[in-house]
Amino acid sequence: MTMNQEQFEFVCEHARGAMLLQTIADTLEWDERTGMPIAGGDYRATQVSTLRGMVHHRRTDAKYGETLQSLSENLVHEDPAGDVAATVRGLLRDWKRNHRLPQDLVERTSRATVKGQQRWDAARRADDFGMFQETLAEILDLKREAGQRIAEGTDRSAYEALLDEYEPDARVEPLNQVFRDLRVPLVELIESIREAPRQPNRSLLERDFPIAAQRDLSRFVAERVGFDFQAGRLDETSHPFCTTLGPRDCRILTRYDANWLPAGLLGTLHEAGHGMYEQGLRAEWFGLPPGSYCSLGIHESQSRLWENQVGRSRPFWQWLFERARSNFSPALDEVSLDELHFAINQIQPSLIRVEADEATYNLHIIIRFDLEQQLIAGTLSVKDLPEAWDARYRSDLGVCAPSAADGVLQDVHWSAGLIGYFPTYTLGNLASAQLFDAAEAELGGFEEMFSRGEFAPLLEWLRERIHHRGQCESGNDLVEKATGKPLSADSLMGYLSGKLRKLYRIAG
Amino acid sequence: MTMNQEQFEFVCEHARGAMLLQTIADTLEWDERTGMPIAGGDYRATQVSTLRGMVHHRRTDAKYGETLQSLSENLVHEDPAGDVAATVRGLLRDWKRNHRLPQDLVERTSRATVKGQQRWDAARRADDFGMFQETLAEILDLKREAGQRIAEGTDRSAYEALLDEYEPDARVEPLNQVFRDLRVPLVELIESIREAPRQPNRSLLERDFPIAAQRDLSRFVAERVGFDFQAGRLDETSHPFCTTLGPRDCRILTRYDANWLPAGLLGTLHEAGHGMYEQGLRAEWFGLPPGSYCSLGIHESQSRLWENQVGRSRPFWQWLFERARSNFSPALDEVSLDELHFAINQIQPSLIRVEADEATYNLHIIIRFDLEQQLIAGTLSVKDLPEAWDARYRSDLGVCAPSAADGVLQDVHWSAGLIGYFPTYTLGNLASAQLFDAAEAELGGFEEMFSRGEFAPLLEWLRERIHHRGQCESGNDLVEKATGKPLSADSLMGYLSGKLRKLYRIAG
């Protein structure tokens, strides 16, 4: 039997309609986070929840699900990596996830996570994990149940089913293996860096960098690397993010700190990386899997690649140096390119994930990934979590939080029910390094290109290998196809080790 | 029989649901006009039209209409000026308007006005009325038909039925009478002003007024007169407007001209007047007639009152003068309060309505009001319109446009099918003067209050007499109740004549 074209068009139209409503809700949320008057919050919440309800209603529609089922049984003649198969597979996957969760469980989880974030916030302010303990246990029970229901009848574990929401088709074992491959040499490298006699001058970056000048430079850099301002905007907010409001309307948001240069500039490059990925998706498939981002890990690989592989490279700073120096005069007047580049690449174990450098960041993630697996499996109880947290920070990073607020309570994720989300950050770092290596091997001459401010060839390569592929493959397959080998820790370790040993003058 | 409470709640809920979707569409349009990336336009149009379609679907729902009918037959025990009666009356009125227009006519009108605006724009650029003539005739035919259908079985004319959309329950004859009462003495007054030997120095206002300084001062003034920034925003756009996105979220937009002070400052006061009206509506009735603006004329009365009666008054400038002078130094360094106040009150017949002063503005409106009545009645043909237009401009304003672009083609309204809209501008001017007189008579001491920057008593008076009443009365009844007499030309003529004769030193 062949595809039923009419059925295929019905599900596409249905999914596009849901996306239309979703992007409307996202527009309202963008407005809420950029400038809505404070008193408008209650009504805005009603508007957004009404729209989200309409989206959910569409996405769980029975006839839609049955049609997807029927289509999926007749895909034999379609290329599995083609747009049609990807559409049916992706839409059915989402429909099934929704369908397997009873309304009651969804509502209880929604209530628990609203309460969870309030309790987490209060507990963090009071620096008292005990205040959050019960709610976290409740959230974990609900997420475990959700994972079990989604995994039912498959060979996946509950945790894997949760991870699948953010990283479709990822399996825990290979991931654990790659993370172990990364962790061991990374801990060693960080140890050597800590003991290195040559250290950068961090205070260079803490001088007076007026916000208006940062804004100008950040916009210039975002435009130059390839973020399209005809189809996007750059704004400011307290928690930077990237949101897509239509096939040609991507909004990125950043945050400037007048006494910490990297926050705004590299933060903008990070968000521009996300934004360029969204702008590179195929508009004609907007709202459907072939025109949607592959996974959170792949999304993060795009932001990290521009932030780190490009934005912390010496050629990039060679290009930007004079402009930055005159832009921020007198802050960098007496600073050399090498001093600045070294400062931007400082590695220093610290307590807070979101403030961590590109090397230690991964250790923060691996700790969370290991602990959340144990929490879902039930091999670690919530009450023992703070102790397990601190133990891992001591052994992996050599630091220990003086308080729960800067320790186990630092992230919002678990309180919001985001279990299986953390590993995608390090997946992104691994993929960014591996993709960059492959692009460089193929195109060559990045050093010279970047030092001239020329980034189009790299972006083009990413467009073709990653952006245009949407969800036609899983994140793993996408990386393997683009780079010619399975995702491993090799590129990231090679990149970090190569750059940092040179900067810190560590033999190796 | 008494009110059926269940039915009443059903219609309120239904109407609130439509308003929820309407405010979402309005939020998207606000975003479109303030900063949406240019390439986002196509998708945004689809989002907005989908939402507008959902609103229309709700508002024309048959069961909703039947329930309103049934409720309206059982209103005998309700206070006609109370919230319940106003709700049923207002919702039924809107439903009937929609219901009486066949879908086909609505669609043809929609297509004709989209084309109309394109043709109008092209004709204006080419300065060729002939290019627009045919489309305008088509639009007028469609609007005439709509008016006839709405008026069917009532004692109203087609034009009155069209006017009713913007100014519910207004009748043409009394309006014509008031406009005649205004026109004759106004033409005389403007004639005397033109011949007055003492004239203001307009060029004071054309000096260098940096936009950033205008922005600061405008925000300061808007806040001080009472626009609530907790429940509102002030932004910039090319065509200023005011839009309400929720019961506590009102956005006003203004436009600054670095070489024309009144545009930004008085324009902001104008929009703040609209905004304060919206912010003064009762939030608990949001989306229902008791919590909605009464009519366009009443809306305009609020903006004009703050722009003109307050913003062009001497006490207001007495209060703001030193601040403005230091704010814009050196532009106003050598200027006296009296010189500035005189310049701000310059009266000068001109060709373009939107650039007209507060006196001649009304003559622009009366010309349009007279001509559009004749066009709908069929006593003036479209082909003869340019000649009729020019003749009236010569007789009423003593000026004649050298080209159609600055004459009959200057406004977008008719091309957009807005017939019956123009008179609401002058209705607003008439009402603003009459309301201001009544407030002053009751509260007293405005001169002293304004010169201290104290505006709360005036705003409070407007809140109670106008804002809180929503649609509980028609615009005429509202003014009559608030001021103790029917709307007339007396206050506006008294205000203009008193102020201008003194400034221009005209006897009389």
Side-chain angles (χ1 to χ4, degrees), chain A residues 159-235:
Chain A
Y159 181 80
E160 245 166 1
L162 295 174
L163 172 65
D164 185 81
E165 181 168 356
Y166 312 110
E167 201 61 35
D169 300 321
R171 307 302 297 236
V172 164
E173 256 328 297
L175 211 56
N176 271 327
Q177 185 57 52
V178 177
F179 281 22
R180 270 195 298 272
D181 293 346
L182 177 66
R183 181 183 169 200
V184 176
L186 191 55
V187 168
E188 267 180 39
L189 174 66
I190 293 167
E191 194 53 38
S192 324
I193 287 172
R194 201 205 292 256
E195 289 160 5
R198 185 172 185 256
Q199 294 289 336
N201 179 4
R202 174 191 169 93
S203 71
L204 298 182
L205 305 173
E206 296 171 337
R207 294 181 179 167
D208 187 26
F209 298 101
I211 304 273
Q214 288 196 52
R215 209 176 270 141
D216 281 356
L217 195 69
S218 293
R219 198 186 153 94
F220 168 75
V221 167
E223 194 151 21
R224 193 65 177 257
V225 295
F227 182 77
D228 179 2
F229 280 91
Q230 296 286 304
R233 277 178 67 95
L234 168 59
D235 293 275

Side-chain angles (χ1 to χ4, degrees), chain A residues 277-350:
Chain A
Y277 182 19
E278 291 285 328
Q279 290 181 333
L281 294 167
R282 285 175 293 162
E284 68 273 27
W285 285 98
F286 185 76
L288 295 172
S292 302
Y293 71 87
C294 174
S295 72
L296 284 190
I298 294 298
H299 225 310
E300 193 71 4
S301 77
Q302 301 305 293
S303 57
R304 291 296 188 175
L305 186 147
W306 292 99
E307 174 191 0
N308 294 333
Q309 272 77 18
V310 175
R312 294 185 201 271
S313 74
R314 200 175 179 289
F316 174 86
W317 281 100
Q318 207 175 317
W319 163 64
L320 198 63
F321 187 59
E322 281 311 323
R323 188 173 179 121
R325 207 147 64 157
S326 77
N327 201 56
F328 297 121
S329 183
L332 302 175
D333 284 2
E334 310 296 317
V335 175
S336 75
L337 169 60
D338 282 324
E339 284 168 322
L340 185 66
H341 179 238
F342 194 15
I344 278 167
N345 282 286
Q346 190 196 28
I347 302 298
Q348 172 119 56
S350 65

